[in-house]
Amino acid sequence: MILSLHPLIQGDVNRIIAGRSPEPHEVELMKQARAIIVSQGVTEGVYRLARQSCARVFPNYDARFDYPGKAGQVALFEKLGLPHPGTVLFPTVGMFIRQDLENRYPKPFVLKCSQGGEGNSVYLVSDKSSLYTALSMLENMEREGFGPFLMQEFIPNDHHDLRVVVMGKDFYAYWRRQPDPAQFLHNITAGAVVDRDGDPHLLKQGRKLAKIFSERSGVDLAALDIIFPSGSDTPLLLEVNYFFGRRGLGGSFEYYRLLKRAVAEWLNQLEETL
């Protein structure tokens, strides 16, 4: 029996568990299932229960919950031996000031909150003014209970980065090119444009790194942000986005078409091994 906890993917049995704990009969269904499909919005509690009840769960979100936030992702990259920009973790803004991190590392650098995605709470620091602005924003987030924070090496990148969307065994890559040289972020919401064909050699290198990450971590549904230092063909992992925009894939309709195909392929592979 295939149990689907996803509102748009059909299984043999379908249940929606959103904003609540599973009922006893739903826990029993998990234990009886040969495979379970969960949604991107699954809570850690429901996911952990599904994994305890059934060995086969799609997507594999073990790394998402074992290594939460941007701070957890850096720890995961280091554990897996994968390249990424140099990063220093600090639990509070006060710790940043006390450790004099501003003067221990050259500008420009990037400050981030561990929570957030799609460019939220990410600041480029190039001078005193931008530093004070970034620290003020991070202090506000800290007062609201967010943290820890990261100081990350700035990688000159010719105003673009590569996004690789992992869906099952497939990898969909596209550049996000920022036409505004004054804009630091490469997100589509910040004005970046999608390029699916440019620099094919680098696209191949980015997909290769994404595949290595997926194989080593088990992650099979996420968007990886990858950057190439200017003039280099060596990719660096920036972030893993488990919630990600869909416009670069062609919109929500295309996203769900690709997702359903990935789930079908995953189920077919399971049938071959049973």
Side-chain angles (χ1 to χ4, degrees):
M1 179 262 289
I2 308 300
L3 172 63
S4 176
L5 307 182
H6 194 293
L8 296 180
I9 296 179
Q10 291 295 308
D12 299 314
V13 178
N14 306 282
R15 292 289 184 275
I16 303 302
I17 304 173
R20 62 178 177 84
S21 299
E23 297 180 4
H25 74 278
E26 292 169 329
V27 175
E28 189 59 32
L29 285 172
M30 291 183 189
K31 294 177 180 178
Q32 295 173 6
R34 291 192 297 122
I36 301 175
I37 302 161
V38 301
S39 69
Q40 282 180 293
V42 66
T43 65
E44 181 175 0
V46 172
Y47 178 77
R48 297 286 193 194
L49 183 57
R51 288 285 282 132
Q52 292 167 9
S53 303
C54 179
R56 305 173 185 89
V57 179
F58 183 92
N60 183 334
Y61 278 156
D62 289 358
R64 171 181 171 180
F65 295 118
D66 289 346
Y67 297 89
K70 296 181 179 71
Q73 291 168 18
V74 171
L76 179 61
F77 299 157
E78 292 178 351
K79 177 183 177 181
L80 300 178
L82 298 176
H84 60 90
T87 304
V88 176
L89 181 67
F90 55 100
T92 66
V93 173
M95 186 67 71
F96 176 94
I97 296 170
R98 288 193 294 275
Q99 292 182 347
D100 195 28
L101 293 179
E102 171 194 357
N103 296 311
R104 287 169 56 186
Y105 298 92
K107 295 184 181 69
F109 54 77
V110 178
L111 293 180
K112 301 179 178 182
C113 180
S114 184
Q115 286 89 355
E118 294 297 308
N120 294 321
S121 65
V122 178
Y123 306 97
L124 177 64
V125 173
S126 55
D127 53 25
K128 288 285 187 183
S129 176
S130 55
L131 173 65
Y132 294 150
T133 297
L135 291 181
S136 176
M137 297 298 291
L138 295 183
E139 279 185 323
N140 290 336
M141 297 192 72
E142 185 180 334
R143 282 192 288 269
E144 294 176 5
F146 295 98
F149 307 99
L150 298 84
M151 179 183 186
Q152 195 164 70
E153 173 188 10
F154 172 71
I155 306 296
N157 52 72
D158 299 327
H159 306 291
H160 65 269
D161 66 9
L162 183 68
R163 170 153 287 189
V164 182
V165 179
V166 182
M167 301 184 78
K169 298 297 183 182
D170 296 316
F171 300 86
Y172 305 95
Y174 56 89
W175 298 103
R176 301 185 300 180
R177 300 192 184 274
Q178 177 54 261
D180 181 359
Q183 172 59 264
F184 160 60
L185 299 174
H186 303 143
N187 307 82
I188 295 175
T189 54
V193 295
V194 172
D195 172 13
R196 296 184 175 87
D197 303 312
D199 300 312
H201 170 65
L202 298 184
L203 280 172
K204 183 178 179 180
Q205 293 297 102
R207 285 195 187 95
K208 181 179 178 181
L209 178 58
K211 184 177 181 180
I212 293 171
F213 170 80
S214 178
E215 290 173 346
R216 294 184 184 179
S217 67
V219 171
D220 53 12
L221 181 61
L224 307 181
D225 292 342
I226 296 173
I227 199 162
F228 289 84
S230 298
S232 171
D233 62 357
T234 301
L236 303 175
L237 283 164
L238 284 177
E239 294 181 7
V240 184
N241 301 277
Y242 296 101
F243 288 96
F244 51 88
R246 299 165 183 173
R247 279 189 281 177
L249 288 173
S252 290
F253 182 84
E254 180 66 5
Y255 166 78
Y256 282 116
R257 185 185 73 82
L258 296 174
L259 178 63
K260 289 177 180 179
R261 186 172 75 180
V263 172
E265 291 174 352
W266 178 75
L267 290 173
N268 286 337
Q269 290 173 354
L270 288 184
E271 290 298 329
E272 293 173 0
T273 59
L274 292 177

